Amino acid sequence: MARMYVVLTLLSILPVLVFGQVLRIYLYEGADLRERGEEQASSVLAIPAMRGAILDNEGRTLAVNAARYDLALDPSVPGFAQARKSFVDRLSRLTGEPASRLAQRIRNRPSPKYVLLRRGLTEPQKEAIESWNVPGLLLEPEFARRYNYGRTLSHVLGHVNADGDGIAGLELQYNDVLRGQDGRRVVKRDRRGVIRSYVGGSVVEPRNGEQLVLTIDLIRQTIVEEELASGVEESGSNWGTAVAMNPYSGAVLAMANYPTYDPNTTGRFPTEARRNHAITDRIEPGSTFKLVAAVAAMEEGGISLDDTIDTGNGYRVFGRRGLRDTHGHGRISFEEVIAVSSNIGVAESVRELDGGDLYQYARNLGFGQPTWIDLPGEVSGTLKKPSDWSGTTKTSLSIGYEVEATPLQLLTAYCALANGGLLVRPFVLRERRDYTGEVIWTARQDSIRRAFRRRTANKLLPAFERVVNEGTATRAQIAGIPVAGKTGTAWKVHEGSYMSRRARASFIGFFPAEKPQVALIVVLDEPRTSIYGGLTAAPIFRRIGERWINTFPDLARQRSLAVADAERERTAAAEAVSLADVSGQPAAVAVAALVAQGFHADRPDADEAALTVVRQSPRPGTDAKPGTHVRLETDAVSETSITPDATVMPDLRGLSVRQAVFWLAREGVTPTIEGHGRVVRQSPDPGTPLTKKAVLRCS
C-alpha cells in the first residue's frame, strides 16, 4: 500500500509539474517562441522589377515590358467579410466579369485561405484595386517583353528567355542594367504551403531597369531592311547583310540581315535566321580589301595615282600564283587600277613592298581584331603574321584573299578613308536613362588610332569616286550626290578549294564623297544572277541612298539643286543647234539660211548681197543656241588693204561697216560706230599698234 500511495502521489504531482513548465514557457519564453513561429510560417516573395525599354534615336519605343498582374485573395483575413459584397461588385465593373461568377469562385475555392480571382490585369486596373484598400488582396506582377515593330531591328535588339533575361543582342549585352533590381514582399504560408496575405508584412519596392536609347533611327532602319530583302530575293542570294555608319563618330545608323526573325516568337524561326552576319561571319573580302594595298603602296611604296602600271593582257604569274583580270587593260594609271579593280595592277603596286609593312597597314585599319562594337558575339577575323606567310600570301593579301574579316570590320576601314584616316569604334547605344527618363550616361566618340595620313586619304578619294563614276560600280550612283566606294567579289572556299561560281558579292561606299554623312556596306552570299558586287550589291546601295537622302535635309537640298542644274544643262544641250556652213554662198543666201535656223546675221548692203561668204563666226558645226549672232566675212575683205598682220591696225577705210566690224571682232577689238555706210575715218590710225578699242566714222 505504501508503494501504491507513493506512485499515486508522484502521478498527481506530474500534471502540476507540466502545468508549471507550460506556465514558465508562456511567461518567460512565449514572446520569443511566437516570433520564431511567425518567421517559420512566413515567406518572402520577389517583386519583379520592370525591365527597361529600348528606344530608337528619335524616342520611339522598340522594346518594352508589358506589365500584367494576377489578383489573388485570402478570404479568411479579418475585415474581408464586411467588404466582400462591395469588392465583388467593384471588381465586376472593373473587369466586365459577372459578379455572380466572381462570388462563386470565392465560395468554391480549393483552399480556405487562397483563391486566384483574375489574371492579366493592366496597370490602371491594378492601381484602381489598390485604392480600394480591401484586406486580404494579393496582386502578383508578371511581365512579358514586347517588341513593338516585330522583325525590325531584331538582330540588334536580340530577345529574352522565359525568365525575362536577355540571351541575344542588346538584351544580352546590357542585361544587367535593363533588368533592374527585384523587390520583395513578406507573406504567410500555412502548413500546406498555401500563400495568404500577411497584414503588416514588410515590402521592399523594386528598382526598375534603365532605358537604352540607340543611334539607329527606325525609319532609316526600315528602309535598309526593305531594300536588302528585295535585293536578296532578286539576286537569289542565300543571305544578305547591310550596315550603315557615321564615318566620323562611329555611330551605327542601321544594321540589317535577311532572312530575319521576330523576337516576339523566336522559337518559330531557324537558328540561321537569328544570326547577325554583320559581326559573326568571317568572309574573305576580295577586292574591297584593295584599300589596304592602295594605302600601303602610296605611304610606303611611293606610288602616286598618276603612275603607270603595266597590267598586260589580263593574266600574270606572281611567284606560284596566277592572277587574272576580267580583261586586259594594258598600261594604265594607278588610279585606273583602282577604278577597274585590276588584280594584276594592285599586285604589281605592292610587289616591292615589305610584307611587314602591308601587314601593319592591315592591322592599322582594324583587321585581325574586333571592332569592339557594343554587341555580343563579334568575331575578330583572321590576319596571318608575316612569319606565317607562304610565297603567295603577299600577292593574295593585296587582293583580299588569305584574310578574313567581318562586314563591320570592312565598313570601319572605309570609314577611315571617308574621315581622313582615323579608325573609329562603332557603337549602337547613344545614351542610358533611368526609369524616370533622366540621362545618366552618354556615348562618346572613340577614335582608336590614326590608320594613315589625311593627305593619303585626300589623294585616294578621287580614285574611289572614279570607281562609281566610270568604274565597276556605276550602278551605285545617286543622282545629284557624289559617291565614292569599292566593289568586291570573293570566291568561297569549300573543303579546301574555291568553288566555281560560288562567291560573295559586296559594295562599300559613302556619300557625299567629300565630308560624307553615311558609309554603307552591302554583302550578298552566293548571288545567282551575277557574282559581281557592282551588279548585285551596288544597286541595293543606290536604292537605300536615294531613300535615305530624304531623311537628311541638307543632302536633300543639295541633291535638289544638283538635279535642277543638270536638268537645265540637258535642256540647253537639247536646244542647241549645230551651226550650218554657209561659206561659199552669196551673202544674201547665207543670211537667209542662218535666219531659217533661228540665228541672227547682219543683212548685207545692196552692193554686198552677191559677194561670197569666205568665213563665219562662230565656226560651222558649233552647237549654238537659237538667237546667237553670226558674223559673216565676204571676199570683199580680202580685196581690201587689210594686211594679215594682226598686231597693227589695218586700213579699214572704204570697207562697209559690217566688214570692218567683222575683222575687228575677230581680233578681239571692240569698235564704236559713228554714222552709217562705209568707213571714212578710223582711230587708231592705220599702222599703229592694235588696241582693244577702236572708233569708226562712216558716211
Side-chain angles (χ1 to χ4, degrees):
M1 292 294 293
R3 287 196 298 271
M4 182 181 67
Y5 286 125
V6 171
V7 171
L8 290 174
T9 301
L10 293 175
L11 290 175
S12 62
I13 294 174
L14 183 60
V16 176
L17 294 175
V18 171
F19 177 77
Q21 181 67 5
V22 170
L23 184 62
R24 185 190 67 80
I25 293 174
Y26 177 79
L27 294 176
Y28 297 101
E29 301 180 20
D32 182 57
L33 291 174
R34 280 192 296 273
E35 183 179 348
R36 291 169 61 185
E38 291 288 346
E39 291 177 357
Q40 293 175 1
S42 64
S43 181
V44 177
L45 287 182
I47 304 175
M50 177 77 79
R51 191 173 181 86
I54 302 178
L55 314 176
D56 84 334
N57 192 49
E58 297 297 324
R60 305 179 186 94
T61 304
L62 304 173
V64 66
N65 263 29
R68 293 294 184 266
Y69 298 87
D70 294 343
L71 175 61
L73 171 66
D74 181 0
S76 66
V77 171
F80 174 75
Q82 292 78 6
R84 176 171 178 166
K85 187 176 186 311
S86 63
F87 165 72
V88 170
D89 291 339
R90 284 180 173 182
L91 186 60
S92 176
R93 289 193 297 270
L94 183 67
T95 62
E97 188 171 0
S100 59
R101 187 181 302 171
L102 293 171
Q104 183 181 16
R105 196 172 295 157
I106 296 174
R107 284 195 307 270
N108 300 334
R109 60 188 182 275
S111 169
K113 296 184 180 295
Y114 183 85
V115 58
L116 181 62
L117 289 178
R118 184 81 180 183
R119 289 187 181 274
L121 294 174
T122 63
E123 184 72 27
Q125 289 174 325
K126 173 249 188 185
E127 293 176 355
I129 293 172
E130 286 181 333
S131 68
W132 300 341
N133 294 321
V134 176
L137 297 183
L138 290 172
L139 283 162
E140 300 172 354
E142 294 289 340
F143 297 104
R145 197 64 162 168
R146 173 68 183 173
Y147 300 92
N148 292 334
Y149 297 93
R151 303 185 184 194
T152 303
L153 203 61
S154 58
H155 294 94
V156 174
L157 297 177
H159 53 276
V160 298
N161 59 18
D163 296 327
D165 289 323
I167 57 175
L170 290 170
E171 297 279 22
L172 173 59
Q173 183 76 13
Y174 293 98
N175 187 59
D176 290 342
V177 298
L178 281 169
R179 68 185 178 189
Q181 185 174 342
D182 291 347
R184 60 184 182 274
R185 170 190 293 141
V186 177
V187 296
K188 277 185 172 287
R189 294 181 184 271
D190 61 17
R191 61 183 181 274
R192 290 177 295 179
V194 177
I195 297 174
R196 57 190 180 89
S197 177
Y198 185 10
V199 178
S202 62
V203 176
V204 177
E205 295 296 333
R207 187 180 66 192
N208 293 332
E210 297 176 8
Q211 298 178 355
L212 306 184
V213 181
L214 308 187
T215 59
I216 298 173
D217 177 82
L218 177 65
I219 304 301
R220 294 173 185 163
Q221 174 71 23
T222 302
I223 291 172
V224 173
E225 293 192 8
E226 290 175 352
E227 296 300 342
L228 180 64
S230 176
V232 170
E233 295 293 341
E234 290 174 0
S235 62
S237 304
N238 294 335
W239 53 262
T241 187
V243 186
M245 280 175 57
N246 181 316
Y248 290 95
S249 68
V252 174
L253 305 178
M255 181 178 289
N257 295 273
Y258 185 82
T260 184
Y261 77 104
D262 188 343
N264 291 304
T265 55
T266 306
R268 298 181 182 178
F269 297 86
T271 303
E272 186 63 23
R274 303 197 296 268
R275 188 177 183 88
N276 189 351
H277 299 282
I279 63 174
T280 63
D281 282 36
R282 297 184 181 96
I283 63 174
E284 285 186 298
S287 293
T288 53
F289 198 79
K290 290 174 181 176
L291 169 65
V292 177
V295 170
M298 293 190 70
E299 293 219 332
E300 300 297 330
I303 290 180
S304 70
L305 292 181
D306 297 329
D307 288 346
T308 301
I309 297 177
D310 184 8
T311 64
N313 61 0
Y315 179 79
R316 186 167 300 170
V317 177
F318 293 82
R320 298 191 305 274
R321 172 157 191 177
L323 289 187
R324 293 185 183 275
D325 286 339
T326 54
H327 58 274
H329 300 290
R331 297 185 65 85
I332 57 177
S333 68
F334 186 50
E335 182 176 351
E336 290 176 289
V337 166
I338 297 173
V340 301
S341 196
S342 169
N343 293 328
I344 296 172
V346 171
E348 285 286 356
S349 71
V350 299
R351 184 193 284 269
E352 303 301 325
L353 198 66
D354 181 74
D357 290 335
L358 183 59
Y359 169 82
Q360 189 58 54
Y361 277 97
R363 290 286 295 179
N364 290 347
L365 282 163
F367 295 101
Q369 55 198 299
T371 65
W372 307 111
I373 188 173
D374 49 344
L375 285 173
E378 183 189 19
V379 298
S380 60
T382 58
L383 178 65
K384 293 191 294 186
K385 295 181 179 179
S387 58
D388 299 326
W389 287 11
S390 66
T392 63
T393 298
K394 186 168 72 170
T395 299
S396 298
L397 187 64
S398 69
I399 62 171
Y401 288 91
E402 294 193 39
V403 58
E404 291 179 322
T406 66
L408 183 62
Q409 285 176 319
L410 288 166
L411 179 62
T412 304
Y414 274 80
C415 284
L417 173 64
N419 66 32
L422 287 176
L423 188 69
V424 296
R425 184 185 69 85
F427 62 95
V428 297
L429 182 62
R430 192 189 80 190
E431 64 186 31
R432 286 163 42 193
R433 302 173 181 172
D434 63 18
Y435 66 92
T436 66
E438 183 179 352
V439 177
I440 58 177
W441 178 88
T442 302
R444 294 184 300 106
Q445 177 181 342
D446 185 5
S447 298
I448 298 175
R449 70 178 71 90
R450 174 161 289 282
F452 52 91
R453 292 191 291 267
R454 179 179 292 276
R455 181 176 60 186
T456 303
N458 293 338
K459 289 180 178 179
L460 275 175
L461 183 59
F464 287 89
E465 283 189 82
R466 190 169 177 180
V467 171
V468 177
N469 294 335
E470 57 186 80
T472 59
T474 55
R475 297 193 181 189
Q477 295 175 3
I478 301 175
I481 300 294
V483 177
K486 186 70 186 74
T487 56
T489 299
W491 300 107
K492 293 180 66 175
V493 175
H494 179 67
E495 295 181 354
S497 61
Y498 290 100
M499 297 186 295
S500 175
R501 308 301 299 176
R502 296 292 181 90
R504 291 190 180 96
S506 59
F507 177 77
I508 313 174
F510 47 88
F511 60 87
E514 294 186 2
K515 297 182 180 179
Q517 296 190 36
V518 177
L520 172 64
I521 181 173
V522 178
V523 179
L524 300 176
D525 182 62
E526 295 187 22
R528 287 165 176 75
T529 56
S530 173
I531 62 171
Y532 298 111
L535 299 179
T536 53
I540 300 175
F541 175 96
R542 185 196 72 246
R543 294 196 296 265
I544 293 173
E546 288 175 342
R547 295 178 64 183
W548 266 37
I549 284 174
N550 295 325
T551 68
F552 292 90
D554 53 338
L555 291 184
R557 188 163 46 252
Q558 177 182 340
R559 181 176 66 168
S560 178
L561 293 174
V563 170
D565 290 342
E567 184 62 29
R568 282 193 294 269
E569 291 178 3
R570 283 195 297 270
T571 302
E575 293 177 350
V577 178
S578 180
L579 189 64
D581 186 359
V582 296
S583 58
Q585 299 180 11
V589 175
V591 169
L594 292 172
V595 170
Q597 274 195 296
F599 301 111
H600 295 304
D602 294 332
R603 294 191 178 278
D605 298 335
D607 56 349
E608 295 180 342
L611 296 178
T612 302
V613 175
V614 295
R615 200 173 290 112
Q616 66 187 78
S617 177
R619 293 181 178 180
T622 303
D623 289 337
K625 294 182 180 180
T628 300
H629 187 270
V630 181
R631 294 185 176 88
L632 300 178
E633 179 181 354
T634 64
D635 52 5
V637 176
S638 60
E639 296 173 1
T640 66
S641 60
I642 295 179
T643 64
D645 186 1
T647 63
V648 297
M649 178 65 72
D651 187 357
L652 302 175
R653 291 170 297 184
L655 297 180
S656 68
V657 173
R658 187 176 62 80
Q659 291 172 329
V661 169
F662 183 94
W663 192 94
L664 292 173
R666 186 179 63 188
E667 302 303 331
V669 180
T670 303
T672 300
I673 310 299
E674 297 178 358
H676 302 280
R678 294 186 176 273
V679 178
V680 296
R681 191 178 302 171
Q682 68 183 77
S683 177
D685 295 329
T688 59
L690 197 65
T691 61
K692 294 294 183 181
K693 294 183 178 181
V695 178
L696 303 178
R697 293 181 177 85
C698 307
S699 62

